[in-house]
Amino acid sequence: MDPVIVVGAGPVGLTLALALARHSVPTVVLDEGPGKDEQRPARTVILRDDTAALVERLAGHSFGDQESGARWTGLRSLRRKQLMRELTFSDEAPAPLHVPQHVLTGALRAAIAEERLVKVAVESKLDSLEQDASGLTAHTRGPKDTWWRGSYLVGCDGPRSTVRKLLDIRFPGRTAVERHAVAALRTELPSPGEALLHRMPPWRGGGTEVTGRPLAGRVWRLDWLLPPRGELVTPDALVVRIRETLAGWCGGSTPPYELLDTGVHTVHHRLARRWRVGRAFLAGDAAHLLGALGTQGLDEGLRDADNLAWKLALAWHHGGHGARSSLLDSYQAERRASVAARLRAADQSLPILRGGGGLRAYVPGTARGYDMLLTDGHVGRGPLGAPGSYAESPLAPAPSESETAVGTEPGAPVADVPVTAPDGELVYLRDRLGLGQLLVLLVAPGTVVWERRHWVTAGIMPRLAAAVTALPHPAELLVAESYPGAAAHSVLLIRPDGHLVTALSGVRPAELYTAAEAALGGAVPKRRADSAEAAEKEESTAAASRPTTQ
């Protein structure tokens, strides 16, 4: 099979290439630039804990240290002089990761340099694309004009995507939904590590909203909300804003500061009509633009990469054999619906949160309620910020009487809990994601006090192991002492990207097989659906002579 072609070497394209390599799929990354990224401290990204874990896992690098990124200790929200809301982050309520984009991209590039399955072609600008029954042919311009042959192609080439234009996909939406003046500076503020969201600040020239978000090394990113059009941000005007804001937060006197970078950030809201045309796909800013009210577009782009990687890998490894269309079509069905829901939430909230009258006068709520909605967007919670669920996915299995409720809804990302791996190692659940296999998690309280050799052959474990072995796709059996909202002996089936397929009460081989088959789009080589029951009977017979330990 020919490699997968990834167009674009930003964070989404590099993440996708690394994720495909983790699935043992070769990739060619077409980088229009020279292979290096400009250092812009004012251009930063905010990632929720699961997407931060994804890039850390793929890059083999922790971004939460003092040099590369910051995880906030808390967030304070103020309106004029009143404290509206105060959040403290913890393991149960994890903080988002805040990191300069060039730091993130640099770590991904470093990981790719060590990855033999990924080839990066620099100064290669795509200008044509042709598809046929067995693959695609792409042509790039640069120092050397080159033809590339690929099995699939993914456009991760940003808002002005060449791939999207060559596929003739419309990109409707709204222009200049919000504008922000941005500055990155090194200074000392009263609450180091704590983000600030200040609406209607009381000092002269404070504007309608300013945010201060800490980075590593005493660096802060400050954003001032601007009118959608008309206000020109000159260097002198920006310096005035900086001094007034710092003085307002520091008791009236401006502390010493070092200005590192400035800019104006304009937010657009757009959503591509289609995300797949034959063997070509769109991801990241090529497929969607969002970012008003604290929502984070790159976070969604990384979810695109995570969702698409395991599906492309499954199709690639089977060489086109079997019915693959439903699995690959589910990428658009799941991701486009998830992003569209966040765009709708932001568009519906904008008149309420930004307007001084009109619709706001007729919408029930309070200033504190509006503030909660806005802060949720910044920290990745609520309708503006929470990660999307694939409950209505075409890959969702049919309802079963054996289903049981747990703290995660079907289709939502699973919680990261400690688990025991097949080799007896104690790891976290997210460490086992992205390896191309399904995960089956048994909730078994009490196992932590016994050596694994005692309970692995006891109780329901042999039956469950037999059922997992008989699944239509490789799966790994994990055991957890507990899982939020789950009763003992609950069995969770989890996709390679960490979304819950279903939770069953006890060992149900036939239902587990059916759910796994549905989660794969029915796109795996057919095996007898009752093979799980047959394997279970064989294992039960063999286990009858083993000693059991409860």
Side-chain angles (χ1 to χ4, degrees):
M1 285 283 285
D2 293 313
V4 173
I5 299 173
V6 175
V7 183
V12 175
L14 297 175
T15 296
L16 177 60
L18 284 170
L20 287 169
R22 196 171 170 93
H23 292 291
S24 302
V25 176
T27 308
V28 172
V29 179
L30 303 182
D31 186 353
E32 184 177 332
K36 297 180 180 179
D37 301 285
E38 181 184 6
Q39 293 194 10
R40 292 292 310 275
R43 189 178 186 187
T44 65
V45 298
I46 299 173
L47 305 178
R48 288 169 287 196
D49 63 313
D50 56 340
T51 44
L54 167 68
V55 293
E56 289 184 335
R57 186 168 65 244
L58 293 174
H61 177 85
S62 176
F63 294 98
D65 56 39
Q66 292 301 309
E67 296 181 359
S68 60
R71 284 186 169 85
W72 308 335
T73 58
L75 181 143
R76 282 189 300 136
S77 177
L78 301 96
R79 188 171 187 269
R80 296 189 175 92
K81 296 182 179 181
Q82 181 182 5
L83 178 65
M84 304 294 291
R85 194 179 185 197
E86 190 166 15
L87 302 177
T88 300
F89 298 114
S90 63
D91 291 341
E92 292 73 28
L97 172 69
H98 189 199
V99 61
Q101 183 165 317
H102 68 266
V103 171
L104 172 62
T105 307
L108 294 171
R109 285 189 185 276
I112 279 179
E114 302 296 324
E115 178 52 67
R116 62 179 182 80
L117 288 176
V118 181
K119 171 183 174 63
V120 180
V122 299
E123 297 181 341
S124 299
K125 181 175 175 57
L126 179 73
D127 64 359
S128 71
L129 173 63
E130 296 178 0
Q131 299 195 53
D132 54 55
S134 60
L136 312 95
T137 302
H139 183 264
T140 56
R141 291 185 288 107
K144 292 175 62 178
D145 289 5
T146 308
W147 290 96
W148 304 90
R149 183 66 181 171
S151 55
Y152 299 94
L153 181 144
V154 186
C156 306
D157 47 344
R160 296 180 176 85
S161 171
T162 300
V163 174
R164 190 181 63 240
K165 294 171 184 174
L166 292 174
L167 296 176
D168 195 25
I169 296 175
R170 293 183 59 202
F171 197 38
R174 301 172 59 194
T175 300
V177 177
E178 286 187 347
R179 290 172 66 239
H180 295 263
V182 183
L185 50 93
R186 182 174 286 109
T187 189
E188 297 282 358
L189 290 181
S191 299
E194 189 175 71
L196 290 166
L197 170 60
H198 202 153
R199 303 182 69 201
M200 309 301 293
W203 52 85
R204 183 176 61 86
T208 58
E209 182 179 298
V210 57
T211 57
R213 291 172 283 200
L215 287 156
R218 297 171 40 246
V219 175
W220 290 77
R221 170 172 165 167
L222 273 57
D223 291 62
W224 295 266
L225 180 66
L226 301 173
R229 295 175 180 84
E231 183 173 336
L232 181 64
V233 183
T234 65
D236 289 343
L238 186 56
V239 168
V240 171
R241 284 180 180 270
I242 292 171
R243 294 182 63 85
E244 290 177 343
T245 300
L246 294 181
W249 285 343
C250 297
S253 60
T254 303
Y257 68 91
E258 176 187 2
L259 185 58
L260 304 175
D261 191 20
T262 63
V264 174
H265 175 53
T266 302
V267 175
H268 310 287
H269 278 182
R270 296 188 179 277
L271 187 65
R273 292 289 191 194
R274 291 181 293 167
W275 292 26
R276 179 193 181 192
V277 177
R279 290 175 172 266
F281 301 80
L282 299 178
D285 286 352
H288 51 78
L289 294 175
L290 69 162
L293 306 177
T295 57
Q296 303 299 324
L298 178 58
D299 190 275
E300 292 292 353
L302 296 176
R303 292 180 191 277
D304 296 344
D306 199 24
N307 184 288
L308 183 58
W310 70 273
K311 298 173 182 179
L312 278 180
L314 193 61
W316 191 91
H317 282 296
H318 284 84
H321 300 294
R324 297 286 156 201
S325 184
S326 59
L327 181 66
L328 295 179
D329 283 344
S330 72
Y331 166 67
Q332 173 176 312
E334 292 178 346
R335 293 299 308 142
R336 191 177 187 277
S338 178
V339 174
R342 293 191 72 188
L343 279 170
R344 283 194 300 271
D347 285 342
Q348 291 168 1
S349 301
L350 272 166
I352 303 171
L353 295 173
R354 299 298 189 222
L359 177 62
R360 179 173 180 173
Y362 298 96
V363 177
T366 64
R368 193 172 297 275
Y370 300 145
D371 180 83
M372 181 179 297
L373 181 64
L374 186 58
T375 54
D376 281 347
H378 282 275
V379 300
R381 302 176 185 175
L384 289 178
S389 172
Y390 307 145
E392 303 301 322
S393 167
L395 304 182
S400 165
E401 292 184 357
S402 301
E403 286 180 315
T404 185
V406 298
T408 302
E409 293 292 330
V414 293
D416 192 24
V417 297
V419 297
T420 302
D423 61 0
E425 183 183 7
L426 187 64
V427 296
Y428 274 87
L429 180 56
R430 283 181 186 152
D431 295 336
R432 315 308 290 182
L433 299 178
L435 297 174
Q437 59 194 0
L438 297 169
L439 300 179
V440 177
L441 177 65
L442 171 66
V443 180
T447 50
V448 72
V449 303
W450 297 92
E451 290 187 27
R452 181 179 178 275
R453 62 187 177 87
H454 290 305
W455 52 258
V456 74
T457 57
I460 63 174
M461 279 296 292
R463 295 178 57 226
L464 181 57
V468 170
T469 301
L471 290 178
H473 185 72
E476 183 176 49
L477 176 57
L478 306 169
V479 178
E481 177 76 8
S482 63
Y483 186 90
H489 295 172
S490 295
V491 176
L492 282 64
L493 179 63
I494 303 165
R495 302 185 341 176
D497 59 354
H499 286 254
L500 180 66
V501 178
T502 189
L504 303 174
S505 56
V507 181
R508 312 283 182 169
E511 288 91 334
L512 191 64
Y513 187 101
T514 300
E517 197 171 36
L520 300 166
V524 292
K526 291 295 183 183
R527 296 171 61 175
R528 289 177 63 233
D530 60 354
S531 61
E533 293 284 7
E536 177 196 354
K537 290 178 181 178
E538 292 178 9
E539 175 62 25
S540 296
T541 301
S545 60
R546 300 174 187 158
T548 59
T549 304
Q550 297 295 338

